[in-house]
C-alpha cells in the first residue's frame, strides 16, 4: 500500500456515482489523494444504515455503477472497500427465506439466534456480560418459519448477524473477497469485526476466538493480494494488542486526543500516545461515524472484581471533551448525539471535525498537520476534505444523528468549496505529504509547554525530513522541510501552503 493520503467518501454523496467520484478525484482533488476508501456501494447503498446493511454484498448497486467502475478507479488510486463481516440486511433474500421457512431453509445456518450461542439457555449473568455499543441486549424477536425466535442483532433490528463460523457463513465471506479482488481492490476494512464471533460465557467482543478469526481471514485475503484493516473501537491497550496481530488498525485515539490538546493547550496525553501508538495504523480525524471517545477513556469491559484500567484521558477529561465538542459546534452536535437523534452509540459524538474546532481555519489546519505527521497512512473524510460544518438540515430531515456529518454535495458545490483558502491549504498539505519522501520513518515528538514539535525523517531517503511546531494554545503552525526537490518553510498555512 502506498504511503499517501487517502480519501474516505460515499460515491452517491461525493460525485453522484462511482464514475462521478473518479472524476472528482482526478480533477478537483488531483494530487491530494493517492487512494480512496469507497464507503458501501453494494446493493442497496441507501438501506437502513447507509449501505452497512447490504442485501447483496457481492453486487454493486446499479444506480452507482458496476464493478468495472471500481476497477477504473483502481487504475489511478488504491481502493479500499468495506467487508461487512458481522451482518446482512433483514431484507436479504436469504433472511427472507429463513423468515418464511425457518430451519427448513438452506440459509438457516447463515444466521445467528440466541440459541446458536446458548443452546441450553443463558443465565442473567451470561447475558449481562455481552458487550454491545448500544443499550440493551443484542436480540430482536422475529418469527422464523412461524416460530418466535430471538435473532442476534448487534446493531439494529435491520442488521441480522451471521454465523461466520458456519460453513455457510465462511462461504458467504469468501464470495465477497473474490468479488472485490476481481475488481482490483487491494485493501478491505473489516467492519465491526470485534462483534463478529460470539462465544458463550464471554463479552462476545474481541475474544481470543475473534483474534483467531481475524488471523485466518487475513490469510485468505493475502492469498488474493488483499491487505486487511481491522475496525474496532475499544480501550487503547486493546488496540495495541490488536495491532500486533493484523495488517492494519485504525488509530481511533488520535481524534479525541487532538481535540483535547487544542481545546486545553495541554499536549501531555497526545504526546504520550504519539510515542506508544501502533505504527501499522490508518490515521483518521474524521470518518462516516462519529468522533469516538471510548478509545481514550477507561476500559469499559473490566470484569467484576478486576482492577479498573485507566484510559489516556480521565473520565472527567472525557466529559469535558464531549462538552467541548458541543460548545464549539454551537450545540448542533448535541442535537445529533445519543437518544436525541435515534443514535444510541455509547462511544461516539456526531459532529464534523471542522465544527468540533469551532470552524476555526487555523486550528483545523493545525489538527491536520498533526495527523499528516503522525506515522501511518492518513485518511481524510470527504466532509473534512472540504472543511464543512454540520448539516443540520439533513439531520432534521432524516432524524439520523450521523447524517449531520454526511452531507450530499453536488458537483458544482464541490468545485466551489475547493476555492476556499482553508480547503486549498489542506489539499496542498496532502499533495506535499504525498510528494516528500520523509514519511516512511518514525516520528520524534517533543512537548515544550503548549508547543508540540513533530519531526519525520525518511527511511528510504534519509536526507528528506519534515518538522512542524504546533502551538496547541493558539493553533499556530511553523512547518519546515527538505528533500530531493529542495527545502522549504511556511509560518502561515492559509497564506502560504507548502509545496514540493
Amino acid at each position: 500500500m502506498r504511503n499517501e493520503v487517502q480519501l474516505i467518501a460515499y460515491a452517491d454523496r461525493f460525485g453522484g456515482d462511482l464514475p462521478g467520484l473518479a472524476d472528482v478525484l482526478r480533477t478537483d482533488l488531483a494530487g491530494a489523494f493517492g487512494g480512496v476508501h469507497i464507503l458501501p456501494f453494494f446493493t442497496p447503498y441507501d438501506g437502513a444504515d447507509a449501505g452497512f446493511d447490504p442485501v447483496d454484498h457481492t453486487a454493486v448497486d446499479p444506480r452507482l455503477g458496476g464493478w468495472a467502475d471500481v476497477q477504473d478507479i483502481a487504475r489511478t488510486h488504491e481502493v479500499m472497500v468495506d467487508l461487512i463481516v458481522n451482518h446482512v440486511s433483514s431484507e436479504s433474500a436469504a433472511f427472507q427465506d429463513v423468515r418464511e421457512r425457518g430451519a427448513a431453509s438452506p440459509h438457516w445456518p447463515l444466521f445467528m439466534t440466541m440459541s446458536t450461542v446458548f443452546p441450553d439457555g443463558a443465565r442473567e449473568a451470561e447475558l449481562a456480560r455481552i458487550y454491545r455499543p448500544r443499550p440493551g441486549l443484542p436480540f430482536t424477536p422475529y418469527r422464523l418459519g412461524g416460530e418466535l425466535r430471538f435473532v442476534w442483532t448487534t446493531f439494529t433490528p435491520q442488521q441480522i448477524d451471521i454465523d461466520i463460523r458456519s460453513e455457510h457463513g465462511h462461504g458467504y465471506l469468501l464470495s465477497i473477497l473474490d468479488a472485490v479482488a476481481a475488481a482490483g481492490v487491494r485493501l478491505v476494512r473489516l467492519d465491526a469485526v470485534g462483534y463478529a464471533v460470539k462465544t458463550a460465557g464471554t463479552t462476545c467482543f474481541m475474544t481470543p476466538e475473534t483474534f483467531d478469526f481475524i488471523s485466518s481471514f487475513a490469510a485468505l485475503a493475502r492469498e488474493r493480494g488483499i491487505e486487511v484493516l481491522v475496525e474496532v473501537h475499544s480501550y487503547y491497550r486493546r488496540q495495541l494488542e490488536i495491532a500486533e496481530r493484523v495488517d492494519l488498525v485504525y488509530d481511533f485515539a488520535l481524534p479525541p486526543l487532538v481535540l483535547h490538546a487544542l481545546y486545553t493547550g495541554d499536549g501531555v496525553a497526545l504526546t504520550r500516545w504519539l510515542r506508544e501508538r501502533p505504527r501499522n495504523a490508518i490515521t483518521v480525524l474524521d470518518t462516516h461515524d462519529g468522533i469516538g471517545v471510548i478509545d481514550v477513556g477507561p476500559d469499559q469491559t473490566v470484569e467484576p472484581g478486576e482492577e479498573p484500567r485507566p484510559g489516556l484521558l480521565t473520565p472527567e477529561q472525557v466529559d469535558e471533551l464531549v462538552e467541548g465538542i458541543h460548545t464549539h459546534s454551537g450545540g448542533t452536535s448535541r442535537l445529533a448525539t445519543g437518544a436525541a437523534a435515534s443514535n444510541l452509540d455509547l462511544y461516539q459524538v456526531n459532529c464534523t471535525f471542522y465544527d468540533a474546532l469551532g470552524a476555526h481555519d487555523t486550528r483545523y489546519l493545525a489538527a491536520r498537520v498533526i495527523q499528516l505527521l503522525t506515522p501511518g497512512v492518513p485518511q481524510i473524510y470527504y466532509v473534512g476534505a472540504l472543511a464543512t460544518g454540520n448539516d443540520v438540515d439533513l439531520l432534521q430531515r432524516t432524524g439520523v444523528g450521523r447524517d449531520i456529518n454526511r452531507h450530499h454535495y453536488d458537483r458544482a458545490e464541490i468545485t466551489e468549496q475547493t476555492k476556499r483558502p482553508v480547503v486549498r491549504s489542506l489539499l496542498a498539505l496532502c499533495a506535499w505529504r504525498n510528494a516528500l519522501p520523509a514519511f516512511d520513518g518514525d516520528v520524534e515528538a517533543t512537548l515544550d509547554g503548549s508547543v508540540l514539535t513533530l519531526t519525520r525523517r525518511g527511511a528510504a531517503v534519509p536526507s528528506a525530513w519534515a518538522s512542524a511546531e504546533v502551538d496547541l494554545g493558539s493553533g499556530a503552525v511553523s512547518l519546515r522541510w527538505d528533500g530531493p526537490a529542495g527545502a522549504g518553510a511556511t509560518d502561515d498555512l492559509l497564506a502560504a501552503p507548502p509545496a514540493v
Side-chain angles (χ1 to χ4, degrees), residues 289-473:
D289 289 333
I291 298 168
V293 294
I294 198 171
D295 310 274
V296 294
D299 191 354
Q300 301 293 309
T301 61
V302 173
E303 298 286 351
E306 289 184 342
E307 288 292 321
R309 289 192 281 268
L312 294 164
L313 298 178
T314 66
E316 293 76 20
Q317 288 174 320
V318 171
D319 290 343
E320 290 168 2
L321 171 66
V322 171
E323 286 304 311
I325 296 172
H326 295 329
T327 299
H328 283 81
S329 69
T332 55
S333 60
R334 197 184 302 276
L335 301 175
T337 300
S342 301
N343 187 82
L344 298 176
D345 288 294
L346 302 179
Y347 53 74
Q348 295 176 342
V349 179
N350 290 311
C351 186
T352 71
F353 210 81
Y354 186 64
D355 264 5
L357 286 168
H360 192 289
D361 290 352
T362 299
R363 290 181 178 276
Y364 185 67
L365 291 175
R368 290 301 181 186
V369 167
I370 294 171
Q371 179 192 6
L372 294 179
L373 267 73
T374 297
V377 176
Q379 288 188 340
I380 297 178
Y381 186 53
Y382 75 108
V383 174
L386 299 186
T388 304
N390 286 333
D391 191 338
V392 177
D393 289 341
L394 181 60
L395 168 66
Q396 291 175 340
R397 289 199 304 272
T398 67
V400 176
R402 292 177 180 176
D403 276 349
I404 202 169
N405 185 35
R406 296 179 177 181
H407 183 68
H408 291 262
Y409 296 92
D410 60 34
R411 186 52 190 273
E413 186 179 7
I414 293 172
T415 300
E416 189 63 28
Q417 289 294 318
T418 57
K419 298 176 182 177
R420 293 168 54 217
V422 63
V423 178
R424 289 203 308 268
S425 295
L426 176 55
L427 297 180
L429 272 169
C430 293
W432 167 82
R433 190 194 182 285
N434 291 341
L436 183 66
F439 300 100
D440 56 347
D442 209 339
V443 66
E444 300 167 21
T446 62
L447 187 66
D448 183 6
S450 66
V451 177
L452 173 68
T453 301
L454 302 176
T455 302
R456 299 288 301 275
R457 302 182 189 279
V461 184
S463 61
W465 59 270
S467 184
E469 289 186 358
V470 181
D471 188 327
L472 300 171

Side-chain angles (χ1 to χ4, degrees), residues 136-152:
L137 291 173
F139 307 115
T140 299
Y142 274 99
R143 288 202 172 273
L144 308 181
E147 181 183 3
L148 188 64
R149 302 294 297 266
F150 285 103
V151 175
W152 206 299

Side-chain angles (χ1 to χ4, degrees), residues 9-30:
Y10 294 98
D12 61 305
R13 301 178 192 229
F14 201 65
D17 53 21
L18 289 166
L21 174 61
D23 188 55
V24 171
L25 285 165
R26 293 166 183 162
T27 55
D28 292 286
L29 306 185

